[in-house]
Amino acid sequence: MGRMRIAVAQITTGADVQKNLKLVAERTAEAAEQGAEVIVFPEAAQRAFGNPLGEIAEPLNGPFARRVEEIAEEHGVVVVVGMFTPGQPSEEGRDRVANTLLISDGEQLTLGYEKIHLYDAFGFQESKTVQPGEDPLTARIGGATVGFATCYDVRFPQLFQHYARQGAAVTILPASWQSGPGKIAQWKTLVTARALDSTQFIIACGQALPAGTDPEELAPAPTGVGHSLVVSPTGQILAEAGEGPELLVVDIDPSDVEEARQKIPVLENARPMG
């Protein structure tokens, strides 16, 4: 298991899917030029929250995913990007989508992780339009086992501990964090805590703060606050973005996880409750 160079592409997406795809292409090219092997984009990169989602939802073999696969193949990298796939109607008959991460290298790897924990908090009701995913997902990337989570999932340590027990050295966490009083501090605390309580690298890529908005004011939809993070298994912040669009390129060594788990054996020391 060797070192991995990971790029975190903090962008602001809008309603226009083609413009958002252009951003994905541009940032992937920029990251690949810097030697990145994995490029992580935010949740809702296909279309930002606050816009209709059902009309742009596509399967993993649809035009959006195929274009992402082409971008990944062109540059010889793995791309992780937030999109929306068709979901099942709710019990009330309301149409829903699945909040999906597309993971692709454009060749052999094409996977989708559907967000398990839906954001029904701080006045937002994601479950009205999104169906919850059921299954955790890991993949082998660059010789390491990698887990996947999305935004509100970060508040649920058991998912990250599950990945760690499945051998994950890294969990990739795209997000579109809602603004509001103290929310940036919560984001940074939660990401760091998940690294510590599962002793793995957390690659957390958020939507950038939209221009002209206040991160301390509660927005009607979670459109991002920036502050993407790369955190080590011992809780060290290896890189952090500001509020605006930014590209972080970070080298990590998944083999550091073994040493961290010897020093901080929380997974081994955990005892069942009840």
Side-chain angles (χ1 to χ4, degrees):
M1 192 187 306
R3 297 181 71 83
M4 297 173 67
R5 178 162 288 186
I6 297 182
V8 178
Q10 180 171 288
I11 58 175
T12 299
T13 60
D16 190 321
V17 174
Q18 294 307 311
K19 285 184 178 179
N20 298 336
L21 267 172
K22 186 179 178 184
L23 270 178
V24 170
E26 291 171 349
R27 293 292 84 76
T28 300
E30 184 180 347
E33 285 178 2
Q34 297 183 44
E37 304 159 71
V38 181
I39 296 92
V40 182
F41 288 91
E43 176 188 26
Q46 182 186 18
R47 172 174 277 183
F49 286 115
N51 297 288
L53 302 178
E55 66 189 32
I56 57 95
E58 298 177 4
L60 291 181
N61 61 356
F64 180 87
R66 287 202 306 269
R67 177 61 186 130
V68 172
E69 290 172 359
E70 289 172 359
I71 293 166
E73 184 179 17
E74 177 185 352
H75 296 286
V77 297
V78 175
V79 174
V80 180
V81 60
M83 62 176 292
F84 299 97
T85 53
Q88 298 296 321
S90 67
E91 292 181 1
E92 299 80 22
R94 181 185 291 116
D95 289 338
R96 297 185 298 178
V97 300
N99 187 340
T100 302
L101 297 181
L102 169 65
I103 304 105
S104 180
D105 65 1
E107 295 180 343
Q108 297 176 330
L109 180 70
T110 298
L111 297 170
Y113 165 76
E114 295 181 3
K115 185 178 183 181
I116 293 173
H117 302 96
L118 299 185
Y119 182 56
D120 288 357
F122 293 97
F124 191 76
Q125 291 285 315
E126 187 176 18
S127 63
K128 286 186 176 181
T129 56
V130 177
Q131 74 173 29
E134 300 291 338
D135 300 316
L137 177 72
T138 61
R140 293 289 292 178
I141 297 175
T145 299
V146 179
F148 298 92
T150 303
C151 203
Y152 192 56
D153 281 335
V154 76
R155 292 186 182 270
F156 300 89
Q158 64 271 25
L159 176 60
F160 295 78
Q161 292 165 346
H162 167 80
Y163 286 144
R165 292 191 170 98
Q166 294 295 309
V170 181
T171 288
I172 290 174
L173 175 72
S176 188
W177 201 250
Q178 189 172 25
S179 58
K183 290 296 297 299
I184 290 174
Q186 291 178 33
W187 162 251
K188 293 171 66 173
T189 298
L190 287 161
V191 173
T192 304
R194 295 300 78 81
L196 282 165
D197 57 30
S198 63
T199 45
Q200 62 177 312
F201 289 95
I202 305 295
I203 313 297
C205 180
Q207 289 267 357
L209 182 73
T213 61
D214 184 344
E216 288 294 311
E217 289 188 5
L218 184 65
T223 50
V225 294
H227 293 277
S228 297
L229 298 168
V230 177
V231 184
S232 81
T234 56
Q236 179 185 4
I237 295 177
L238 303 177
E240 179 181 353
E243 292 180 346
E246 191 169 342
L247 182 69
L248 303 175
V249 180
V250 181
D251 290 324
I252 66 170
D253 189 342
S255 63
D256 290 346
V257 168
E258 184 177 348
E259 181 181 353
R261 289 177 180 167
Q262 290 174 354
K263 289 181 179 178
I264 317 170
V266 289
L267 296 168
E268 183 179 335
N269 293 345
R271 300 181 67 187
M273 299 291 106

